[in-house]
Amino acid sequence: MSERVVIDQLQSLPDGPVSVSGWVETVRDQKKVQFVILRDETGAVQLVNPATRPVADSPDPQDADALALTDTISALATGTFLTVTGELKHDERVKLGGVEVKIGALEIAGAALAETPIAADSGLDKRMDWRFLDLRQRRNNLIFRVATTLEHAMRTWWIERDYIEIHSPKLMSSPSESNAELFSLEYFGDQTAYLAQSPQHYKQMAQAAGFGKIFEIGDVYRADPSFTSRHATEFTSIDAEISWIDSHEDVATMQEELLAAAISAVKAKHGAEIEELFGVEVIVPSLPFPRIPLAEARDIVAARGHVTQRTDGDLEPEGERQVSAHVKETFDHDFVFVTDYPFEIRPFYHMKDAATGLTKSYDLLYKGVEITTGAQREHRIEVLEAQAVEKGLALGGLEHYLDFFRYGVPPHGGFGMGQARLLMLLLGESSIREVTFLFRGPTRLAP
Amino acid sequence: MSERVVIDQLQSLPDGPVSVSGWVETVRDQKKVQFVILRDETGAVQLVNPATRPVADSPDPQDADALALTDTISALATGTFLTVTGELKHDERVKLGGVEVKIGALEIAGAALAETPIAADSGLDKRMDWRFLDLRQRRNNLIFRVATTLEHAMRTWWIERDYIEIHSPKLMSSPSESNAELFSLEYFGDQTAYLAQSPQHYKQMAQAAGFGKIFEIGDVYRADPSFTSRHATEFTSIDAEISWIDSHEDVATMQEELLAAAISAVKAKHGAEIEELFGVEVIVPSLPFPRIPLAEARDIVAARGHVTQRTDGDLEPEGERQVSAHVKETFDHDFVFVTDYPFEIRPFYHMKDAATGLTKSYDLLYKGVEITTGAQREHRIEVLEAQAVEKGLALGGLEHYLDFFRYGVPPHGGFGMGQARLLMLLLGESSIREVTFLFRGPTRLAP
């Protein structure tokens, strides 16, 4: 590769020849001098060129190269990718990093059309149409560097603790969660395949397989017609499942330690830049996170004057916000585990507590939004079958799943967490669309 | 959680009380003494119990608990998950790790049916029917620990070099690679979605977005009707794409360094166990890998006496084996980049070399099998469109993809690598089915 220097390294180099590559963010084409702001994945730098304009009755022949360079810069469209070799100069008067590069030669690598279809302040839908341009914004680039750090910190935490990473199939012969919100496709003529709504079946299978502790980060699919800021038809799910637990509490403990480690890594690497570009302070959560049983959470919501519209006893989005507000005011904490959900509003595979009849499960709320459901799973086949029947499910459709429990399985549990929700809340964004590389929704399949 | 000790820690503990959890691998139910081999995700240990059998005319009353424990052990089915608390004792006569646990109490956590449907020597298809039992084998467990280490080493190598990890959507409005081998589905009534055959479009989009260097590890889909040991309808693809390259050589250099680092990590962590269970020495490849232009590779194949059946000039599987055999004999190397493929046998988006007309691309062979295609991409929109037309493609269907090249894009290239092929060859396995958590093929959608 050419001896390209990435832009955030320029400040540490001495004055002298350099080569930088990036795209044109702005051009200031003044009569006597031309400035180009060039951005790459690490930062931006000012390029400068003393303009050589054609003089009608020049007494001496003009420098053809200098004329051509000036013309080229005048004609540069925003977004054009180019490489400049030139002279780096430190100059504290230059606001952008205290350095500039005097252009020696300029090579256009990929010219842009003159008219850019979006601006930084275009509406979200328009920006999604042109996501590849939208992602050139510095704050959008940061989102994906933060996501990379967040995930890598989680994987590292797990792997240091001997977890196995799995890639479970997303093509299945039967639904993984429910018969609703399910994508199906024709599979080699006479078969029907379903797209996995979660890795639930298979992360439990890994427990029957004796894997002990596993995680998976992968895409799952929901044919969910909703258009809220928290839903997508394809999203990255962060899942873990562990054996030999006593209750969902062991899962919650794992998850809170994991999150504290991951958020701590984000703060260390990107905290200052997040504060600058998102106006958000990254707060590493203290351990343990607060826990509130659902019944108590409902009382808190009511005491705060919110009248629920739901009749099933679950929290609605406003209820979740109220619980989180209470926790923030009372414990100064951004996270809260809401625990002990009744079986009626939980999947059939959540284990019931023998004493209370409530499930050994939790939802994790972060800044007012649910990001996770976790639970101990029912691993006793007779009980599991009875719970499926209680939910009105046909055991035939669950045949392969139920088989996992017939040849020995340890007590186990786990959680699933939406990557985009976590990221959205961490950065104080208003929609998962902003933090998803390419969002997919009912009316959004492209680009 | 209970104070469970994982089995590979037992040897380092002093004699005394311990609690272990796992599943029953075998029971030796002798008259005077009972032995259980208990396995967990880390190893196996011998449990021992002095049998207390009912005596018809016992002069003294027998110990009811001891009788019950003996009965319980006699009735244990293979695969049953249980927890034993007992006394750890070091005894060098015990072949299995030099320790045993005298059973104090035994608690069955998940009983298995008495008849196990498969044995270790069952056929592959039968084992795939009962994959969760098949995965309990020690060597199968090792496969997924190796996969975890391999992937984490790759991610770490990339992230240390400031790559961004992306999750590109697998639901698309148009095919990502070709109109063949394509799964499609109805999407909210009147739309058709296609499952991504690769992240090709979107990893290139990340270059237009100025991300610079990215990677993705995620599942992709091919409606491929073949039943070979190297093909699947869903597989995990390891992809990277980088900007500002001079040619495919920059991609190859990145990939060989990445692979050497990843294989080195596997050797360090699992080398001895791989040698024990797979009879394979993990060899960290030396750098650089050999490179052979395709035309020369064909000559090598011919010189070795193999007559090709193909008329398009590409290597067939036997040709790939011959080239790798030649490289092994000549350079003692397991990898070889075959380079300079004619455009006729490459996708439309591979860049042509101006001088030769051949593509700036490579295949990477590992132990005789192709695991990767890499290339510099054509980023000049007029050339790219002309190449698409040359391949007979309709530009309309590529509309969103082609847009990525209209608003500036740097020169770039990348590779895609099949995770299962890499793992299969590393471990000397005969089929990707053996190294895939749950294989998906034309007749395999379950479990």
Side-chain angles (χ1 to χ4, degrees):
Chain A
M1 269 185 259
S2 12
E3 291 143 53
R4 174 191 175 211
V5 176
V6 291
I7 289 171
D8 73 357
Q9 295 301 308
L10 290 174
Q11 284 177 285
S12 65
L13 293 180
D15 285 3
V18 290
S19 174
V20 290
S21 299
W23 68 94
V24 174
E25 199 165 78
T26 54
V27 178
R28 271 193 300 141
D29 191 16
Q30 300 172 359
K31 188 159 184 225
K32 303 248 168 166
V33 61
Q34 300 174 301
F35 297 100
V36 176
I37 303 299
L38 190 77
R39 181 169 292 284
D40 72 5
E41 64 270 29
T42 69
V45 66
Q46 177 168 288
L47 312 177
V48 61
N49 183 52
T52 304
R53 307 290 180 182
V55 176
D57 304 305
S58 177
D60 306 307
Q62 291 187 277
D63 180 334
D65 287 351
L67 284 166
L69 177 60
T70 300
D71 269 1
T72 299
I73 294 170
S74 294
L76 279 179
T78 302
T80 294
F81 280 75
L82 53 81
T83 294
V84 156
T85 52
E87 289 291 317
L88 174 68
K89 197 169 164 235
H90 287 71
D91 182 341
E92 61 187 21
R93 291 168 306 176
V94 179
K95 282 186 195 154
L96 194 59
V99 293
E100 64 179 13
V101 175
K102 184 167 175 299
I103 298 172
L106 183 157
E107 191 189 350
I108 292 179
L113 291 178
E115 297 264 330
T116 307
I118 56 162
D121 61 352
S122 295
L124 177 56
D125 215 54
K126 182 95 177 163
R127 286 192 285 113
M128 287 198 293
D129 284 341
W130 300 96
R131 184 62 163 160
F132 61 104
L133 299 176
D134 187 42
L135 289 174
R136 290 183 187 168
Q137 290 185 64
R138 198 177 149 209
R139 74 199 301 274
N140 284 343
N141 182 282
L142 176 59
I143 290 169
F144 295 91
R145 288 187 285 119
V146 169
T148 301
T149 300
L150 191 69
E151 276 185 39
H152 196 60
M154 286 193 269
R155 283 199 176 87
T156 301
W157 191 91
W158 276 319
I159 287 170
E160 284 172 355
R161 286 156 184 81
D162 295 325
Y163 283 62
I164 291 176
E165 181 169 12
I166 64 167
H167 299 288
S168 69
K170 302 302 177 275
L171 295 172
M172 303 176 67
S173 63
S174 56
S176 52
E177 287 283 337
S178 79
N179 290 306
E181 303 186 348
L182 190 61
F183 289 116
S184 64
L185 58 135
E186 192 187 290
Y187 193 76
F188 295 98
D190 58 341
Q191 301 166 78
T192 300
Y194 302 95
L195 294 186
Q197 297 153 308
S198 82
Q200 187 62 35
H201 286 202
Y202 300 131
K203 58 184 190 158
Q204 291 193 253
M205 190 190 96
Q207 309 309 306
F211 276 24
K213 295 179 285 191
I214 61 102
F215 70 93
E216 175 165 13
I217 300 180
D219 278 11
V220 295
Y221 306 88
R222 304 268 170 102
D224 183 338
S226 41
F227 285 90
T228 81
S229 61
R230 307 178 313 281
H231 291 91
T233 54
E234 174 175 3
F235 63 94
T236 303
S237 183
I238 300 169
D239 281 88
E241 197 80 15
I242 53 177
S243 284
W244 301 110
I245 62 171
D246 291 327
S247 77
H248 58 295
E249 180 55 38
D250 294 321
V251 181
T253 302
M254 180 260 283
Q255 189 177 8
E256 65 191 358
E257 290 177 13
L258 173 82
L259 280 168
I263 293 172
S264 175
V266 167
K267 187 181 181 73
K269 190 158 181 182
H270 310 288
E273 208 176 347
I274 291 171
E275 191 138 7
E276 179 196 347
L277 295 178
F278 290 87
V280 170
E281 185 194 349
V282 176
I283 297 171
V284 179
S286 60
L287 297 177
F289 296 178
R291 275 111 166 120
I292 299 180
L294 176 63
E296 194 182 313
R298 279 198 305 258
D299 292 345
I300 289 166
V301 173
R304 293 174 69 89
H306 176 72
V307 180
T308 183
Q309 305 300 314
R310 290 187 73 140
T311 54
D312 62 2
D314 205 351
L315 298 175
E316 60 215 326
E318 181 55 30
E320 292 170 351
R321 281 188 286 273
Q322 294 292 337
V323 172
S324 281
H326 166 83
V327 167
K328 187 71 181 170
E329 291 159 18
T330 314
F331 306 108
D332 191 25
H333 210 287
D334 289 332
F335 289 90
V336 57
F337 288 112
V338 178
T339 63
D340 302 282
Y341 282 73
F343 181 69
E344 292 67 35
I345 52 174
R346 291 308 227 191
F348 77 96
Y349 52 78
H350 283 199
M351 184 180 268
K352 293 181 193 175
D353 184 279
T356 64
L358 301 169
T359 59
K360 298 169 86 166
S361 75
Y362 65 80
D363 275 8
L364 176 58
L365 311 184
Y366 179 32
K367 298 183 180 175
V369 178
E370 184 233 305
I371 59 168
T372 283
T373 295
Q376 176 163 7
R377 323 304 185 180
E378 181 51 69
H379 67 284
R380 296 161 296 183
I381 181 68
E382 335 71 65
V383 184
L384 185 62
E385 286 182 336
Q387 290 190 179
V389 169
E390 193 180 342
K391 288 277 185 191
L393 298 173
L395 297 186
L398 293 167
E399 184 190 344
H400 293 295
Y401 174 72
L402 294 171
D403 275 347
F404 302 155
F405 301 85
R406 298 188 201 283
Y407 297 91
V409 61
H412 64 277
F415 71 81
M417 174 163 61
Q419 182 256 22
R421 288 194 186 185
L422 174 60
L423 200 54
M424 167 182 83
L425 297 160
L426 183 64
L427 297 175
E429 285 290 86
S430 58
S431 170
I432 60 169
R433 297 167 203 218
E434 294 281 4
V435 301
T436 304
F437 183 65
L438 280 165
F439 172 77
R440 289 295 181 252
T443 57
R444 171 65 64 187
L445 261 178
Chain B
M1 266 186 260
S2 13
E3 291 144 53
R4 174 192 174 210
V5 176
V6 292
I7 288 171
D8 73 356
Q9 295 302 306
L10 289 175
Q11 284 176 284
S12 63
L13 292 181
D15 286 3
V18 290
S19 173
V20 290
S21 299
W23 68 92
V24 174
E25 199 166 78
T26 54
V27 178
R28 271 192 298 140
D29 191 15
Q30 300 173 359
K31 186 159 186 225
K32 302 247 168 165
V33 61
Q34 301 174 302
F35 296 100
V36 176
I37 303 299
L38 190 77
R39 181 169 291 284
D40 72 7
E41 63 271 29
T42 68
V45 66
Q46 177 167 288
L47 312 177
V48 62
N49 182 53
T52 305
R53 309 287 180 183
V55 176
D57 304 305
S58 176
D60 306 306
Q62 292 188 275
D63 181 335
D65 287 350
L67 283 166
L69 177 59
T70 301
D71 270 359
T72 299
I73 294 171
S74 295
L76 278 179
T78 302
T80 293
F81 280 75
L82 53 81
T83 294
V84 157
T85 50
E87 287 292 316
L88 174 69
K89 196 168 164 233
H90 286 71
D91 183 342
E92 62 187 21
R93 292 168 305 176
V94 180
K95 283 185 194 155
L96 194 60
V99 293
E100 65 179 13
V101 176
K102 182 165 178 297
I103 299 172
L106 183 157
E107 191 189 349
I108 292 178
L113 291 179
E115 297 264 329
T116 306
I118 55 163
D121 61 352
S122 295
L124 176 55
D125 214 54
K126 183 95 176 162
R127 285 192 285 113
M128 287 198 293
D129 284 342
W130 300 96
R131 185 62 164 158
F132 61 104
L133 299 175
D134 186 43
L135 289 174
R136 289 183 188 169
Q137 291 185 63
R138 197 178 149 207
R139 73 198 302 273
N140 285 342
N141 182 284
L142 177 59
I143 290 169
F144 296 91
R145 287 187 285 119
V146 169
T148 301
T149 300
L150 190 68
E151 275 186 41
H152 196 60
M154 286 193 270
R155 283 201 177 86
T156 301
W157 190 92
W158 276 319
I159 287 169
E160 284 173 354
R161 285 156 185 81
D162 294 325
Y163 283 62
I164 291 176
E165 180 168 14
I166 64 166
H167 299 288
S168 68
K170 302 303 177 274
L171 295 172
M172 303 174 68
S173 62
S174 54
S176 53
E177 288 283 337
S178 78
N179 291 305
E181 303 185 350
L182 190 61
F183 289 116
S184 65
L185 59 136
E186 192 186 291
Y187 192 77
F188 295 98
D190 57 342
Q191 301 166 79
T192 300
Y194 302 95
L195 294 186
Q197 297 151 309
S198 82
Q200 186 63 34
H201 287 201
Y202 300 131
K203 57 184 190 158
Q204 292 193 252
M205 188 190 97
Q207 309 309 306
F211 275 25
K213 296 178 285 191
I214 62 100
F215 70 93
E216 175 165 13
I217 300 180
D219 279 12
V220 295
Y221 305 88
R222 304 267 170 101
D224 184 339
S226 40
F227 285 90
T228 81
S229 60
R230 307 178 312 283
H231 291 92
T233 54
E234 174 175 4
F235 63 94
T236 302
S237 183
I238 299 170
D239 282 88
E241 197 80 14
I242 53 177
S243 285
W244 300 109
I245 62 172
D246 291 327
S247 77
H248 58 295
E249 179 55 37
D250 295 320
V251 181
T253 302
M254 179 261 283
Q255 191 178 4
E256 65 191 358
E257 289 178 15
L258 174 82
L259 280 168
I263 293 172
S264 175
V266 167
K267 187 181 180 72
K269 190 158 181 181
H270 309 289
E273 208 176 347
I274 291 171
E275 191 138 7
E276 178 195 348
L277 295 177
F278 289 88
V280 170
E281 185 194 350
V282 176
I283 298 172
V284 179
S286 60
L287 297 178
F289 296 179
R291 274 110 166 120
I292 299 179
L294 177 62
E296 193 183 315
R298 280 199 305 258
D299 292 344
I300 289 166
V301 174
R304 293 174 68 91
H306 175 73
V307 180
T308 181
Q309 304 300 314
R310 289 186 76 140
T311 54
D312 63 1
D314 206 351
L315 298 174
E316 59 215 326
E318 181 55 29
E320 292 170 350
R321 281 189 286 273
Q322 294 292 337
V323 173
S324 280
H326 166 83
V327 167
K328 187 70 180 172
E329 290 159 17
T330 314
F331 305 108
D332 190 26
H333 211 287
D334 289 331
F335 290 90
V336 55
F337 288 112
V338 179
T339 62
D340 302 283
Y341 283 74
F343 181 68
E344 292 66 35
I345 52 175
R346 291 310 228 190
F348 77 96
Y349 52 78
H350 282 199
M351 183 181 269
K352 293 181 192 175
D353 184 279
T356 65
L358 300 170
T359 58
K360 298 170 85 166
S361 75
Y362 65 79
D363 275 7
L364 176 59
L365 311 184
Y366 179 31
K367 297 183 181 175
V369 178
E370 185 234 305
I371 60 169
T372 282
T373 295
Q376 178 164 5
R377 322 304 185 180
E378 182 52 68
H379 66 284
R380 295 162 297 184
I381 180 68
E382 332 74 62
V383 185
L384 185 61
E385 287 183 336
Q387 290 190 181
V389 169
E390 192 180 341
K391 288 279 185 191
L393 298 173
L395 298 185
L398 293 166
E399 184 190 344
H400 293 295
Y401 175 70
L402 293 170
D403 275 346
F404 302 157
F405 300 86
R406 298 188 202 283
Y407 297 91
V409 62
H412 63 278
F415 71 80
M417 174 163 61
Q419 183 254 23
R421 288 193 186 187
L422 175 61
L423 200 54
M424 167 183 82
L425 297 160
L426 183 66
L427 298 174
E429 285 289 88
S430 59
S431 170
I432 59 169
R433 296 167 203 217
E434 294 281 4
V435 301
T436 304
F437 183 65
L438 279 165
F439 173 77
R440 288 293 181 254
T443 57
R444 171 66 62 188
L445 261 179

